[in-house]
Each structure stands twice: as C-alpha cells, then as structure tokens.
Amino acid sequence: LAWEFLYNESMVIRITGGSPCPGGGRHKAKIEFSCSNKSEGSPVYIETTKDCVHIFSWETTVACPTLVILLFIKINKMLQH
C-alpha cells in the first residue's frame, strides 16, 4: 500500500500486489480523493486500464486541506527541488 500526495492538493492511494493480471503483472487500484461537502462520501468506479489499474474517485470532506496536509505538501515540494 503506497500513498501519494498530488500537487493539486488532492490525495491518492495506490494499492498494489493484487491477483495476477491476464496481460502480465498484478491488479492495482488507484483511489483519488477530492475535497467535497458530501460528508464521508463513497468511492465511485471510473475505469479499469489495459494494465489492470482499477481507478476510483472519492469525494469527501475528509480530503479537504488542513494545515497538516498543506504543510506536508509544501515540505514534499521543497524536498523534490
């Protein structure tokens, strides 16, 4: 399980190591969270790519920026330069 913070202030969870994919490799999931007033919300299936990545979108108030998340994003940007 790997976390990735995108620079547009959305949060993504990538889940790897699933069952074998017919084309090779393994199934993966990508859940992109976005800030919304929909309380907890729930994941919405978007698509499955050719290389077995299952993509979901999840609008929720939990993904709205807080000072901690904004600080983490700023530090992450500084470390990458």
Side-chain angles (χ1 to χ4, degrees):
L1 178 63
W3 288 78
E4 175 184 353
F5 287 91
L6 300 179
Y7 296 124
N8 61 2
E9 297 179 2
S10 66
M11 185 171 48
V12 172
I13 295 177
R14 293 181 192 266
I15 303 169
T16 59
S19 60
C21 181
R26 297 203 168 262
H27 285 270
K28 304 171 198 69
K30 175 183 173 184
I31 307 169
E32 183 169 344
F33 295 87
S34 58
C35 179
S36 172
N37 61 356
K38 293 184 179 181
S39 186
E40 291 182 11
S42 59
V44 175
Y45 172 78
I46 303 298
E47 69 174 326
T48 300
T49 65
K50 291 178 185 176
D51 57 342
C52 298
V53 178
H54 307 279
I55 301 173
F56 298 85
S57 175
W58 193 334
E59 295 181 4
T60 175
T61 56
V62 178
C64 294
T66 65
L67 289 176
V68 172
I69 291 173
L70 294 174
L71 180 61
F72 178 83
I73 291 169
K74 184 173 183 172
I75 290 171
N76 192 30
K77 285 181 182 177
M78 289 176 12
L79 291 174
Q80 291 186 2
H81 291 337

